[in-house]
Amino acid sequence: MEAPQSLVGKLYTSYSDGLHFAKPISTLRTNEFDLVRNVLQILQGFSSTMLYWDELGHHFRVRSGIYVSHLSHTSLYHVLNQFTYAATCLKMVESRIQEVEKSVPPPPPTLRAFCCSIYSWLTWLRNGALKEEMKVVDSCSLTTPTLLGLSSSLSSLCAGAEFLFQVVQEAIPQAYDETDSPISATAIAVHTLNYLHKKLTEVCLVQGGEEDAYRMILHAFVSTLLPYIEGLDSWLYEGILDDPFEEMFFHANKRIAVVESEFWEKSYLLRSAKMDTGRVTDSLLSIKRTDDVSRKEPNDVSGLAKEKGANGRDLDVCPLFMKEIARDIISAGKSLQLVQHTRMTSSVSASGRIAGLSLSEIFCVTLSALIGYGDHVSEYFLKEKKIVPLVKSFTGRQKEERSNKSFQEMTCSDKEWCKFLVDTMVQKGKANLISCNALGEEVDSFVVEGDKLALDRNDILSLGFRPENPAITTSQNFLHANRDAWGPLNLSREFYLPPLNDEGLRQAIFNGSAGSFVATKSTNYTFGFQFGESERDRLKEDVTFLEELFPFPTLLPPFQEDDHVSEVFPFQENSTLASRTLNWIGRVEPRNTPLPTVILQECLIVFIKKQADCIGRNILSKLLSEWRLLEELEVLRAIYLLGSGDLLQHFLTVVFNKLDKGESLDDDFELNTTLQESIRYSADAALLSTPDSLVVSVTRNNATIEDDQRGMPLLTSIPRKSRGQNFGIDGLDSLMFTYKVPWPLELIANTEAIKKYNQVMRFLLKVRRAKFVLDKARRWMWKDRSSASINRKHHWLLEQKLLHFVDAFHHYVMDRVYHSAWGELCEGLAAARSLDEVIEIHEAYLMSIQRHCFAVPEKLWALIASRINSILGLALDFYSVQQTLSSGGAVSAIKARCEMEINRIEKQFDDCIAFLMRILSFKLNVGQFPHLADLVTRINYNHFYMSHNGSLINAPGSNTVPSKSGKLFAGQRD
């Protein structure tokens, strides 16, 4: 009889199921060998008997209860956790990549390239686990693998798995999966590239054992950047924006054609991101901030918005390393389109290519040289002729003395980057060196002599790289090793069936009755009786032609399981170099770990700048020679700066006389008729290609709408009766002159530039009109020399003061505006390197002549312009007085009013001169604008108005003087 169990025993039995408390379940017992194999399986992405994938928790778990006899539960799980975490990272990376690849719409090229790079590293890491498993299985039974040994051998794999998971989590924008706020392809590309650039900067200072992190980020960065470089290649060398996913940092405005005047400003624009409060739409990063302050988001957009200090502001969406040259890139492509549109004889797209290589191919070659060997080969590529001895030294394989060879020839033959270069040349089918002239520059390129393929040549390079027949490309090694099989594989030799042995049949049928048929002993399909001689010859030619196009058509290409198709079948015009370079980066330890800034400068940016400079030199050459830029600018100078005294002389005389008579300028037809007559009978008529290229129109308001919008200074002189609204000094402001600049020069002298020219011209016309009326007044005064009264002398003195000011100011304008500014423009154009710089120089020229004519919307210039305009208006008032006196002003009352008007004019003139002397002589203004000192010297000739020490001579005592009508002339104060 059993002894009754105690209460503790009953409780223990209910929980332990009858087993001893310290005894585990025997079926869960295992050994380290099985655990090692299970660990290696989950690292390859497979679930195992002891370690499995939890679909709900999204991580690998250890089956509960397993144990080994020599390890405690805590120690065992501690060792296994590091492997399950690494396997979980790899599994999460795989899931994330699959989600991106299966997303709708499909990922853009840069993100797809990034995913391919990550997938390659995922495969390499898992292959490491596979190789380790093969070692464990094939190992001798005397050697038992352990978890601690596996932990040591797979430490780099576990670290790489964790690092790869971190890169994937941070490089792909979180907003990519959000359907409510879709993120643009541009923002994705910029975010990914910026993150990888930043991360590569962090890991470039390699510590011991961290080389894999550098190679991993470098591989991802290069892979992601290559689609971007290919887009830049088509833009810089062909003038085509090949961006179907719209991920480049600029976009095309399809509404603007290349022949339109707005092409340069509005055809291709930088993409911008609108920043709103609290969120970013189509932003650089599209990373949403979380409440976890410990988590650091790379390149936080919200922080960037705070630094910019504005919400609702537009930011350019461009990779950080491209911002300095972004506008140069856009300018180069637009310039190339302009040159192509004009049907230039030589191709600019070919001129910039070095040895026929694309931008991505040069990037790969220079990168492999820099990373693998520390060779800075960009200087050899920039000096294009250095490529010839480089390739010859490698392909020739001469065993010569190298004492007389260059450094490049001595070192390139056993370096991987040189193999990449030569193989790329061979793939492009360019085996012979020639020099070609493109845009006047000697560049080396590689071409094939003839199109015919000689299959009997001993050199396998004769097969070349044949995209139309990929079997040849993939089977080159096989064909090289089996030259004896070339004959049987030849299409022309095996095209026909062998002769048929049918002599007995022929003898039985014909029985010797037909001699002609008896002569033919057997049926020969090569010379069959179904064809005539001409048809047979044509068939032979077709067969030979097909053989040249498709050699070895029956050859099946051998493929291995691990071969990359991208290394065999290049996409479009690209070679297999990109794929080979990426694979090389993944398997080779780098000798150098330069900063990404150095990599981009050495391998990419320097070549982009070279092509941009090449295009810039070409378009500048066309601007100055074929398109006659300087000649057209001289025409604008002659018209709008009144440089040709004869071109508009008749027109201005007619207009001035009409204003004197009080006639309005509202008839466009009459004005244009007068203008065409003035041009046609002018000695400078040859300046214009056609007389009707210059047109004048009348605006209905004195102050043009453009001037009002630009905040042009409002002039303070109050017109009197003699200077009405339409006939005062501002009477010519209603005229708008339009000169049709031929395309493409209208990209430089566009509509806005013509408006600025008109602003300067209006001011010069005022000076010209004041000089015109003072000359007429002086002639009237000379006719009345018999009157030598004191008042008459007073009139002469005032007239001389007015005329001296107008003449001095006119000479200042012609010296500074017509001559000095033009000289600065010519010097700037001679130093320009691109069309953008030409436009900027022309804009600076316009700003200079506007400032010299005080026609800019700035406070200082507005004050000066107001006083100058008042003095020019006073010249009209003086002319009106003299006109009254000369037309019968003998009545004493009229003379008295005229004398009061003369006093008012003189008083107001003195006030304006005093103001101008003070403000123009101010040391600060003279220091900032030296040309003001020249104007002071001309006006204050012989220190007539201001002494050496800066004190005014005969300074007026007040700024206001009453006129007879009782009104006050209010001079504008400081």
Side-chain angles (χ1 to χ4, degrees), residues 269-532:
L269 305 173
L270 287 169
R271 295 190 188 273
S272 60
K274 192 71 175 180
M275 301 192 63
D276 301 322
T277 305
R279 65 175 297 180
V280 179
T281 303
D282 192 23
S283 65
L284 294 177
L285 304 173
S286 299
I287 295 287
K288 292 188 176 180
R289 306 187 69 183
T290 62
D291 295 334
D292 185 6
V293 295
S294 63
R295 179 179 180 183
K296 182 181 179 181
E297 296 290 356
N299 302 327
D300 189 9
V301 179
S302 300
L304 181 61
K306 292 179 180 179
E307 292 178 6
K308 296 293 183 181
N311 290 325
R313 199 176 195 180
D314 286 342
L315 295 179
D316 292 337
V317 183
C318 179
L320 295 176
F321 49 86
M322 287 282 186
K323 284 194 172 182
E324 292 185 0
I325 60 172
R327 297 189 181 277
D328 294 337
I329 291 174
I330 299 176
S331 175
K334 290 190 294 186
S335 299
L336 185 55
Q337 288 188 355
L338 287 175
V339 174
Q340 290 174 341
H341 187 76
T342 56
R343 300 177 182 177
M344 61 177 301
T345 56
S346 58
S347 174
V348 180
S349 60
S351 66
R353 292 200 184 276
I354 301 173
L357 296 176
S358 66
L359 194 60
S360 59
E361 291 167 349
I362 294 178
F363 175 76
C364 291
V365 171
T366 53
L367 174 68
S368 57
L370 180 63
I371 299 298
Y373 305 95
D375 295 341
H376 300 270
V377 298
S378 58
E379 57 185 271
Y380 294 95
F381 279 108
L382 294 176
K383 301 175 183 178
E384 294 161 329
K385 294 183 180 180
K386 293 289 184 180
I387 300 175
V388 179
L390 184 155
V391 178
K392 282 184 176 179
S393 65
F394 183 78
T395 56
R397 306 286 186 181
Q398 298 96 343
K399 303 296 184 180
E400 303 174 359
E401 293 295 329
R402 297 184 176 182
S403 58
N404 296 327
K405 289 188 177 181
S406 65
F407 168 79
Q408 188 67 11
E409 292 179 293
M410 291 167 53
T411 59
C412 74
S413 58
D414 24 344
K415 294 183 177 181
E416 195 72 20
W417 67 264
C418 194
K419 296 178 183 178
F420 288 162
L421 176 60
V422 174
D423 290 345
T424 303
M425 298 297 184
V426 173
Q427 283 186 351
K428 288 177 173 290
K430 300 173 180 179
N432 297 323
L433 299 177
I434 67 168
S435 62
C436 61
N437 292 324
L439 298 177
E441 296 183 354
E442 290 286 339
V443 295
D444 299 318
S445 37
F446 299 77
V447 298
V448 173
E449 287 184 339
D451 298 326
K452 193 170 184 178
L453 180 65
L455 294 180
D456 57 346
R457 295 177 61 185
N458 293 327
D459 192 1
I460 193 65
L461 295 181
S462 61
L463 295 176
F465 179 68
R466 306 183 69 85
E468 71 279 0
N469 192 354
I472 299 298
T473 304
T474 59
S475 306
Q476 286 194 23
N477 294 332
F478 170 79
L479 292 172
H480 182 69
N482 299 275
R483 293 180 180 271
D484 296 337
W486 286 23
L489 289 174
N490 196 337
L491 176 67
S492 61
R493 299 178 184 180
E494 305 297 331
F495 185 77
Y496 299 103
L497 294 175
L500 185 63
N501 186 13
D502 57 352
E503 292 89 349
L505 181 61
R506 285 174 171 269
Q507 186 67 27
I509 293 175
F510 297 107
N511 195 16
S513 60
S516 61
F517 291 104
V518 174
T520 304
K521 300 297 182 182
S522 62
T523 301
N524 190 336
Y525 289 95
T526 303
F527 303 99
F529 49 82
Q530 70 271 33
F531 296 119

Side-chain angles (χ1 to χ4, degrees), residues 785-935:
R785 284 179 296 176
S786 58
S787 175
S789 62
I790 298 178
N791 292 337
R792 181 59 60 182
K793 294 180 181 179
H794 183 203
H795 292 188
W796 275 104
L797 179 60
L798 178 58
E799 189 269 344
Q800 286 299 316
K801 291 166 65 176
L802 289 170
L803 186 61
H804 165 72
F805 177 86
V806 173
D807 284 340
F809 188 77
H810 183 259
H811 292 157
Y812 156 80
V813 169
M814 295 304 292
D815 180 48
R816 288 288 177 174
V817 176
Y818 193 76
H819 297 291
S820 299
W822 176 257
E824 295 173 0
L825 173 65
C826 293
E827 292 177 2
L829 292 178
R833 297 169 54 248
S834 66
L835 184 54
D836 263 334
E837 292 187 9
V838 171
I839 294 176
E840 291 176 0
I841 291 169
H842 184 249
E843 288 290 333
Y845 167 71
L846 288 177
M847 179 58 68
S848 175
I849 62 176
Q850 280 184 297
R851 180 171 283 115
H852 289 150
C853 292
F854 309 101
V856 289
E858 298 176 7
K859 183 177 180 180
L860 173 64
W861 310 107
L863 291 174
I864 297 175
S866 66
R867 295 315 193 274
I868 295 176
N869 193 74
S870 297
I871 294 176
L872 298 178
L874 293 175
L876 288 184
D877 290 344
F878 181 81
Y879 167 76
S880 179
V881 172
Q882 296 304 320
Q883 186 180 30
T884 301
L885 292 175
S886 64
S887 61
V891 182
S892 59
I894 296 177
K895 288 185 177 181
R897 287 197 298 269
C898 289
E899 290 302 324
M900 293 184 64
E901 188 67 12
I902 289 295
N903 292 334
R904 181 196 66 81
I905 293 173
E906 183 178 22
K907 177 62 178 176
Q908 194 168 338
F909 175 80
D910 292 340
D911 290 343
C912 292
I913 286 293
F915 178 85
L916 287 176
M917 289 296 101
R918 286 196 299 267
I919 195 169
L920 293 177
S921 303
F922 191 55
K923 293 183 180 180
L924 178 62
N925 293 333
V926 175
Q928 290 180 343
F929 310 105
H931 62 91
L932 296 181
D934 181 32
L935 180 59

Side-chain angles (χ1 to χ4, degrees), residues 169 175 355 428-429 471 544 548 608 614 744 771 794 863 918 944:
Q169 286 295 101
K428 288 177 173 290
T544 306
E548 294 177 0
I608 292 178
C614 176
K771 187 175 176 62
H794 183 203
L863 291 174
R918 286 196 299 267
F944 184 79

